[in-house]
Amino acid sequence: MRTRIVVVGHGMVAARLLDELGRLTADRSAPLLDVTVIGAEPHRPYNRLLLSEVIAGRADLGRLTLPAPAVSSGMTLRVLRGTYATDLDRKRRVVTCDDGSEFAYDTVVLATGAAARLPLPDAAGQGVRVLRTIDDCRELLAACSYPRRVTVVGAGLLGLEIACGLSARGAGVHVLHRGGQVMDRQLPVEAAKVARATLADTGIEVLTDADLESLRYDGDQLVGVRLRDGRAIPSDLVVASVGVAARTEIAVQAGLPVRTGIIVTDALRSPADPRVAAIGDCAEPPSGCTGLLAPGWAQADQLARELVGRRGAEDTASPRHTSAVVKLKAVGVDVVTIGDGPEPPAHARTVTLSDPEGRRHVQVSVFEQRVVAACCVGAKRVAADLTAAYERQTPVPDDPALLLLDALPSATVPATDDPTTMPSRATVCRCNGVTKKDIVDAHLAGSRELSDVAARTRATTGCGGCTEVVCGLLAWMDDVSPAKDVAQPKHSRNDPGNIALVASSGTDKEIT
Ligand SMILES: Cc1cc2nc3c(=O)[nH]c(=O)nc-3n(C[C@H](O)[C@H](O)[C@H](O)COP(=O)(O)OP(=O)(O)OC[C@H]3O[C@@H](n4cnc5c(N)ncnc54)[C@H](O)[C@@H]3O)c2cc1C
């Protein structure tokens, strides 16, 4: 008898859950699972993080599709695309979809993500865009296909990524921010000033304490925005990046407790019904909602282990997640922060190096010989060193100043991405904790294409920042270990015999 799991939503976190379930059920002692996933978007799951990179022209829409989940004989998988789950009947334990189909469950997992908010209640009109889905991305690209005057509302992480991307495409960009500084959830005031000056150097004007009052139209045509203090900014296009709202519709309909997101316990179950779990951007665990991928992936891994009866970190080779590292993926502006917010921890020793003229600002906090927080603007190399030291918890000097003067002697990521000199233990993919050795091992086991390595190790499936290095490693391995007959990888995507794709409805579209 198979345990029936219905997953509502097929975004990045659901995709991770399915992959982890596939890996775990390869173990013959795991219970047999019958999994149905219902996704409203018509596409295969794709890397949402890279949508801003597509806007910047640094990633290709056609290459965002995530690797197919690992497969095993212990799990059957039914995938529905372009299908919206409308109803969750907790008494009958059935999920109903907009096409009338019904799926019975033993456990239902809500992974419905979040939707972009609008800056004004009536702002969904002509000339206003958001960036959350691949369709949003296409619309935004079409809307700025020639240089235009764009106003981005919101100077958080995503707002700045969009602003830099559109500016790189030749648009004249203003950024409006309600708060007093850019990235106010991450950056200390002085660091924010340096980031703002760097943005200005690239032609992006940031207006802080800027409260949007209204959009101005000439007929149907957007012509500008007006602020509450009377300022007016001419614009042909407004892109809203003022945060997200968890998608809780189905939980509300089912009478489950909801606050910012769908409330769940530490075990990721609804306190009102242990047969309902929620993970990712839609969930509100006791630690709160983050809107970031790493915590969602950690939840997916945790839930997968629990669903196959393998609790505890020692049961899994899952990577350690580093949700406290935030990197701005923006053209021309390097910002990395480590820690829980703009303020350095009071108990730590903190040193700051500020060089506004050189557009550099670095701050690092050390406690008990460990990096516990940092913020780096315009200091790519130091940021990489500090991130590596933080993630590996490498012992560092008690005096934080030493970390700002030299590259760390032993804790650093490689000074060069040259695969021949990179140490084996060097982390290549930070999002998934994948090392050079993991890539080399994958290659030796027969994964020679980037997509195979991504499927096997998960490298490149997060922020995508490691893609170039992984390609370099593969090219190097092709030279030192040319192809010969090799064993098939255990979780081969080329071996559909392991998976029972029971049914698929909706348009099973590739992203083009
Ligand atoms: C441009 C951009 C850049 C980002 N950059 C970063 C970054 O650098 N770092 C970071 O940590 N995070 C980043 N994020 C946030 C990150 O993408 C999210 O945290 C992550 O995608 C959450 O995954 P999820 O599966 O919970 O939700 P989603 O990815 O939103 O997926 C949820 C899916 O569920 C579907 N759905 C909803 N309701 C239903 C229903 N009733 N029935 C069927 N399907 C339904 C939705 O259509 C959607 O496909 C970024 C987001 C964007 C948009």
Side-chain angles (χ1 to χ4, degrees):
M1 177 76 173
R2 287 179 181 259
T3 305
R4 295 161 307 171
I5 298 170
V6 174
V7 183
V8 180
H10 199 182
M12 294 185 77
V13 170
R16 174 63 166 245
L17 175 73
L18 300 181
D19 189 55
E20 195 62 16
L21 286 174
R23 289 169 193 250
L24 293 174
T25 51
D27 180 342
R28 284 180 184 279
S29 65
L32 299 176
L33 302 182
D34 174 20
V35 182
T36 301
V37 58
I38 303 162
E41 292 188 71
H43 319 289
R44 290 172 192 276
Y46 57 87
N47 190 329
R48 212 175 284 286
L49 274 59
L50 296 185
L51 292 177
S52 49
E53 295 283 83
V54 172
I55 298 297
R58 297 198 296 192
D60 185 354
L61 259 188
R63 299 180 74 93
L64 301 192
T65 307
L66 292 173
V71 294
S72 79
S73 54
M75 178 170 121
T76 59
L77 179 60
R78 179 191 290 118
V79 181
L80 291 97
R81 294 189 226 289
T83 306
Y84 187 79
T86 50
D87 192 79
L88 168 58
D89 184 334
R90 294 197 286 125
K91 271 204 182 116
R92 289 171 56 224
R93 282 197 247 139
V94 163
V95 176
T96 306
C97 299
D98 54 358
D99 59 5
S101 52
E102 291 194 338
F103 299 95
Y105 64 83
D106 298 304
T107 296
V108 60
V109 182
L110 304 180
T112 49
R117 289 182 193 276
L118 290 170
L120 296 170
D122 57 350
Q126 190 73 15
V128 181
R129 297 277 180 270
V130 294
L131 182 63
R132 179 74 194 180
T133 66
I134 219 154
D135 297 335
D136 294 336
C137 188
R138 284 207 184 95
E139 284 182 19
L140 187 50
L141 287 176
C144 63
S145 52
Y146 59 93
R148 305 176 59 131
R149 299 167 304 174
V150 182
T151 297
V152 176
V153 186
L157 202 61
L158 182 56
L160 294 186
E161 289 181 8
I162 295 170
C164 291
L166 293 175
S167 172
R169 283 182 179 267
V173 180
H174 282 86
V175 180
L176 308 182
H177 195 57
R178 246 193 182 159
Q181 60 163 84
V182 300
M183 288 181 68
D184 39 15
R185 285 168 71 179
Q186 290 92 13
L187 289 182
V189 176
E190 295 307 317
K193 284 184 186 161
V194 174
R196 183 174 175 171
T198 313
L199 289 162
D201 293 343
T202 69
I204 297 171
E205 192 174 339
V206 179
L207 283 74
T208 48
D209 301 308
D211 210 355
L212 182 66
E213 185 187 66
S214 60
L215 305 175
R216 293 164 50 230
Y217 284 92
D218 180 3
D220 275 355
Q221 182 65 43
L222 181 78
V223 291
V225 302
R226 187 181 296 281
L227 308 187
R228 279 197 204 288
D229 60 13
R231 283 178 285 178
I233 299 150
S235 320
D236 317 300
L237 180 68
V238 166
V239 187
S241 180
V242 292
V244 294
R247 294 193 62 177
T248 59
E249 310 92 282
I250 197 162
V252 170
Q253 170 276 323
L256 294 164
V258 164
R259 204 166 26 216
T260 308
I262 301 164
I263 295 176
V264 290
T265 62
D266 278 327
L268 304 169
R269 303 288 179 148
S270 169
D273 185 344
R275 288 188 181 274
V276 183
I279 53 175
D281 279 6
C282 71
E284 185 177 347
S287 53
C289 303
T290 65
L292 294 173
L293 182 63
W297 273 358
Q299 291 162 8
D301 291 353
Q302 178 190 332
L303 185 64
R305 289 195 296 274
E306 196 245 312
L307 287 168
V308 300
R310 283 181 49 178
R311 292 182 191 85
E314 69 283 1
D315 290 331
T316 177
S318 290
R320 199 171 59 82
H321 292 284
T322 50
S323 54
V325 179
V326 170
K327 184 172 186 297
L328 183 73
K329 310 186 291 296
V331 187
V333 191
D334 291 310
V335 179
V336 175
T337 64
I338 299 170
D340 285 334
E343 295 305 324
H347 60 275
R349 188 170 165 193
T350 298
V351 167
T352 304
L353 171 79
S354 196
D355 172 24
E357 269 184 35
R359 303 290 187 251
R360 282 187 304 166
H361 183 101
V362 187
Q363 181 174 296
V364 59
S365 306
V366 171
F367 181 66
E368 293 181 344
Q369 294 192 315
R370 299 288 186 278
V371 171
V372 290
C375 128
C376 306
V377 180
K380 218 173 179 172
R381 172 69 195 281
V382 179
D385 289 346
L386 294 179
T387 304
Y390 171 75
E391 289 180 342
R392 293 191 203 139
Q393 289 292 289
T394 320
V396 295
D398 274 325
D399 181 358
L402 298 174
L403 300 176
L404 303 188
L405 298 178
D406 291 311
L408 294 169
S410 59
T412 55
V413 292
T416 164
D417 289 339
D418 180 348
T420 52
T421 55
M422 188 186 284
S424 258
R425 64 183 168 75
T427 302
V428 174
C429 171
R430 207 169 50 69
C431 300
N432 285 296
V434 183
T435 62
K436 170 186 170 183
K437 181 174 184 306
D438 296 328
I439 305 292
V440 168
D441 288 349
H443 188 280
L444 292 173
S447 299
R448 282 162 187 268
E449 300 298 323
L450 184 63
S451 54
D452 295 336
V453 173
R456 176 178 274 268
T457 65
R458 294 177 173 150
T460 74
T461 62
C463 75
C466 61
T467 306
E468 221 172 283
V469 182
V470 175
C471 289
L473 280 168
L474 293 182
W476 169 63
M477 283 301 291
D478 281 345
D479 284 345
V480 295
S481 170
K484 53 180 182 224
D485 283 347
V486 285
Q488 272 296 311
K490 196 175 169 196
H491 297 295
S492 170
R493 270 72 180 165
N494 304 325
D495 180 15
N498 285 343
I499 191 169
L501 187 65
V502 176
S504 167
S505 79
T507 45
D508 189 5
K509 268 194 204 164
E510 286 295 348
I511 300 158
T512 52

